[in-house]
């Protein structure tokens, strides 16, 4: 879909204390999406980033085992917008959002924040748009099947190969998050969605 030859690409938080790379395989088999949903927007605001609205949040969906943290892992932290919300990982040193994952390593999914990537062009063009707002207050998606197929394929490969255990976000032995997530209160969420 227009990608160049896949190569490993670097990423870093805003202050540079947490850094690493996405493997060439991750770049090759990931899916470049943009999301207009309230949760993605709320998370950006929570982390002190500029409000993306009316534009979407730029995300690269991939298998978490393709993310390598080479330095500053002690700054890797997580939050949830609610008790059952997805894990939203960030660099605690500067509050830079990094990735969104499922709540368990057994469902190996990561949506990486493209703003952290040094060479976004290597991720290829956006193939899916999610939760596009409509005049009637509803939402629609463009080419959602492409993203769903990518997720299903990556999850199956990770589960069958056992590579899902090799993730920077969860302890390989216990399956617990490497840091205790902050869970936002209803009041905090309400303020972010205003």
């Amino acid at each position: 879909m227009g990608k160049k030859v896949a190569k490993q690409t670097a990423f870093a938080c805003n202050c540079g204390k947490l850094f690493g790379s996405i493997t060439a395989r991750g770049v090759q088999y990931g899916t470049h999406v943009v999301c207009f949903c309230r949760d993605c927007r709320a998370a950006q605001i929570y982390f002190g980033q500029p409000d993306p609205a009316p534009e979407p949040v730029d995300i690269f969906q991939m298998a978490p085992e393709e993310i390598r943290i080479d330095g500053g892992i002690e700054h890797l932290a997580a939050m949830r917008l609610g008790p059952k919300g997805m894990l939203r990982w960030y660099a605690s040193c500067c509050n830079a959002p990094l990735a969104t994952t499922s709540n368990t390593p057994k469902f190996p999914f990561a949506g990486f924040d493209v703003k952290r990537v040094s060479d976004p062009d290597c991720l290829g063009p956006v193939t899916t748009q999610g939760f596009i707002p409509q005049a009637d207050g509803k939402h629609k998606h463009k080419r959602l099947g492409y993203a769903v197929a990518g997720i299903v394929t990556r999850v199956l490969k990770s589960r069958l190969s056992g590579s899902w255990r090799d993730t920077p976000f969860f302890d390989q032995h216990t399956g617990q998050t490497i840091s205790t997530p902050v869970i936002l209160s209803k009041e905090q969420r309400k303020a972010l969605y205003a």
Side-chain angles (χ1 to χ4, degrees), residues 22 31 33 35 37-44 46-47 57-65 67 76-82 84-91 96-105 107-114 116 151 154-155 167-170 177:
I22 297 171
T31 307
V33 308
C35 185
C37 83
R38 295 180 347 132
D39 288 352
C40 284
R41 176 179 178 258
Q44 293 288 318
Y46 173 81
F47 291 123
V57 176
D58 198 359
I59 300 165
F60 192 67
Q61 294 180 345
M62 57 191 297
E65 65 262 27
I67 299 170
L76 186 61
M79 77 83 148
R80 287 180 174 159
L81 290 168
K84 296 182 180 179
M86 295 184 78
L87 290 164
R88 295 179 183 271
W89 297 90
Y90 65 102
L98 296 171
T100 301
T101 70
S102 64
N103 296 322
T104 171
F107 186 79
F109 165 84
F112 202 83
D113 191 318
V114 172
R116 303 280 82 79
I151 291 170
R154 289 188 296 271
V155 167
T167 167
F169 307 110
F170 297 91
T177 55

Side-chain angles (χ1 to χ4, degrees), residues 64-65 67-68 101 105 163-172 178:
E65 65 262 27
I67 299 170
R68 303 282 186 251
T101 70
S163 61
W164 61 273
R165 294 181 179 90
D166 185 23
T167 167
F169 307 110
F170 297 91
D171 182 277
Q172 290 185 1
I178 66 160

Side-chain angles (χ1 to χ4, degrees), residues 13-162:
C13 67
N14 289 336
C15 70
K17 290 181 180 176
L18 190 156
F19 57 92
S21 61
I22 297 171
T23 68
R25 180 180 172 85
V27 172
Q28 182 178 3
Y29 294 108
T31 307
H32 197 168
V33 308
V34 292
C35 185
F36 292 84
C37 83
R38 295 180 347 132
D39 288 352
C40 284
R41 176 179 178 258
Q44 293 288 318
I45 295 169
Y46 173 81
F47 291 123
Q49 304 301 303
D51 185 346
E55 299 301 315
V57 176
D58 198 359
I59 300 165
F60 192 67
Q61 294 180 345
M62 57 191 297
E65 65 262 27
E66 304 301 342
I67 299 170
R68 303 282 186 251
I69 296 179
D70 301 318
I73 197 162
E74 67 273 15
H75 300 295
L76 186 61
M79 77 83 148
R80 287 180 174 159
L81 290 168
K84 296 182 180 179
M86 295 184 78
L87 290 164
R88 295 179 183 271
W89 297 90
Y90 65 102
S92 62
C93 45
C94 59
N95 272 2
L98 296 171
T100 301
T101 70
S102 64
N103 296 322
T104 171
K106 293 181 180 180
F107 186 79
F109 165 84
F112 202 83
D113 191 318
V114 172
K115 287 188 290 187
R116 303 280 82 79
V117 176
S118 62
D119 181 16
D121 289 343
C122 78
L123 304 179
V126 171
T127 57
T128 301
Q129 297 180 48
F131 298 94
I132 305 164
Q134 303 299 296
D136 60 4
K138 295 182 180 180
H139 300 90
K140 73 174 186 177
H141 310 290
K142 286 187 180 176
R143 298 193 72 195
L144 184 63
Y146 193 87
V148 171
I151 291 170
V152 170
T153 300
R154 289 188 296 271
V155 167
L156 287 174
K157 284 182 179 178
S158 293
R159 293 290 295 169
L160 291 171
S161 69

